[in-house]
């Protein structure tokens, strides 16, 4: 199976790597659905924390969730899957991940559909944003420009995806000839819809995941296993 996948990669000219939380799992970043099983957070529903309503109800609590995740992010490193993707400078990474592990691995083409944890921005959208020190994140605080609260520059449920990132991702996925779908449950839209978009446009789909996912039905080849273990072998020329 991996040989057939490697041949397909060799024969493809426009490759998109569409990734999710599983790509960073072996670095020690809990997947989104695992995040609520960690320590203090076992009693919380991540899908409720990651909403504008969750933040409005209890900004301190939601901000603390991100502070914990930021500290963890500062302590982890890119894994072999990030490094294999980064080595292929022609591959475009369309990722749902809010971490910076692809950047730190040296990848040059990265589109982040769900924003970034590296920055805070104004809740009232006055345009203010500031980078955050991940190892020593600041507390909840007001926007120096307008006085509203600052929030992480991520995309919560119910919010639109960043316009330019989304438009670029749609164009790339509609014109790629191969999509690698790495470590995503493919349950969150509109991002998950990019897999079907690529498939309908004629691209081959290779899914890399230790578990079945919503992408399984669209896969031409499904590689069952962890990204960090499979990707170096898959990308070897
Ligand atoms: C491994 C591995 C290893 C493990 N190697 N693999 C009904 C139908 C359709 C849509 C909707 C609906 N009801 C509501 C919606 C909309 C909603 C949505 O899709 N909800 C679904 C839950 C149904 N979507 C939205 O709200 C989006 N916005 C929107 O629709 O806007 C419309 C709008 C337009 C105009 C104006 C206003 C609004 C926004 C979605 C934003 C998602 N944000 C999050 C949080 C980011 C910040 C944070 O992290 O705190 O993004 S949610 C979360 O899910 C995060 C992720 O990027 C995203 C995807 O998760 P992912 O990556 O798939 O992770 P997991 O954990 O689910 O899966 C991990 C996978 O890895 C598993 O498969 C494992 O097996 C695998 N794995 N180890 C390889 N080692
Ligand atoms: Zn502001």
């Amino acid at each position: 199976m991996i040989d057939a996948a490697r041949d397909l990669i060799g024969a493809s000219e426009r490759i998109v790597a569409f990734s999710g939380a599983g790509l960073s799992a072996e670095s020690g970043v809990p997947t989104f659905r695992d995040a609520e099983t960690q320590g203090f957070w076992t009693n919380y529903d991540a899908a409720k924390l990651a909403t504008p309503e969750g933040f409005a109800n209890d900004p301190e609590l939601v901000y603390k969730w991100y502070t914990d995740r930021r500290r963890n992010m500062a302590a982890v490193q890119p894994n072999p899957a990030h490094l294999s993707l980064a080595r292929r400078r022609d591959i475009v990474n369309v990722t749902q991940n809010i971490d910076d592990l692809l950047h730190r691995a040296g990848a040059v083409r990265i589109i982040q559909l769900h924003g970034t944890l590296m920055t805070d921005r104004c809740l009232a959208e006055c345009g203010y944003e500031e980078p955050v020190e991940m190892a020593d994140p600041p507390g909840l605080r007001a926007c120096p420009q307008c006085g509203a609260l600052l929030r992480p520059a991520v995309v919560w449920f119910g919010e639109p995806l960043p316009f330019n990132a989304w438009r670029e991702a749609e164009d790339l996925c509609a014109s790629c000839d191969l999509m690698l779908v790495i470590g995503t449950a493919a349950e969150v839209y509109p991002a998950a819809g990019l897999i079907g978009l690529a498939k309908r446009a004629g691209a081959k789909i290779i899914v890399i995941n230790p578990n079945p996912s919503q992408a399984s039905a669209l896969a031409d080849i499904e590689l069952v296993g962890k990204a960090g273990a499979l990707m170096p072998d898959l990308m070897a020329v």
Side-chain angles (χ1 to χ4, degrees):
M1 210 52 131
I2 194 140
D3 288 341
R6 218 187 282 113
D7 289 348
L8 199 47
I9 291 173
S12 301
E13 289 175 353
R14 295 175 307 283
I15 305 178
V16 168
F18 175 64
S19 56
L23 174 64
S24 299
E26 287 152 89
S27 292
V29 181
T31 65
F32 189 75
R33 267 93 210 153
D34 283 342
E36 60 197 16
T37 64
Q38 310 289 309
F40 178 80
W41 299 104
T42 33
N43 295 323
Y44 294 91
D45 178 356
K48 286 192 181 136
L49 294 172
T51 62
E53 296 77 19
F55 188 73
N57 285 343
D58 196 341
E60 286 283 359
L61 177 81
V62 173
Y63 200 83
K64 177 177 163 21
W65 186 48
Y66 285 99
T67 298
D68 284 3
R69 293 167 68 196
R70 281 173 162 155
R71 287 207 181 97
N72 176 54
M73 209 82 85
V76 303
Q77 298 300 329
N79 70 49
H82 298 108
L83 295 168
S84 319
L85 288 168
R87 266 195 293 277
R88 282 289 301 258
R89 300 180 92 74
D90 57 315
I91 292 184
V92 186
N93 288 281
V94 175
T95 188
Q96 300 165 88
N97 295 349
I98 58 173
D99 64 50
D100 65 346
L101 293 173
L102 278 167
H103 304 79
R104 283 200 259 151
V108 284
R109 304 180 72 187
I110 306 167
I111 297 172
Q112 285 186 290
L113 296 174
H114 293 161
T116 173
L117 199 51
M118 309 302 128
T119 309
D120 274 348
R121 65 176 167 85
C122 177
L123 182 66
E125 295 181 358
C126 78
Y128 182 81
E129 54 178 52
E130 70 181 39
V132 165
E133 176 52 61
M134 303 296 282
D136 185 20
L140 185 66
R141 66 210 182 283
C143 170
Q145 208 161 266
C146 78
L149 287 175
L150 293 182
R151 54 161 284 184
V154 299
V155 181
W156 285 327
F157 285 115
E159 295 185 321
L161 274 51
F163 182 79
N164 288 335
W166 177 249
R167 196 176 50 183
E168 209 183 333
E170 271 192 319
D171 287 351
L172 285 161
C173 295
S175 59
C176 66
D177 54 2
L178 175 65
M179 180 183 269
L180 307 174
V181 179
I182 308 165
T184 178
E187 287 175 8
V188 173
Y189 284 79
L194 292 172
I195 309 167
L197 177 67
K199 180 92 180 176
R200 287 191 300 279
K204 298 288 187 199
I205 309 289
I206 300 177
V207 171
I208 298 121
N209 199 313
N211 302 302
S213 72
Q214 294 299 317
S216 301
L218 296 173
D220 293 285
I221 298 178
E222 191 164 24
L223 300 176
V224 180
K226 294 184 175 181
L230 289 173
M231 291 298 292
D233 201 8
L234 183 61
M235 306 303 279
V237 279

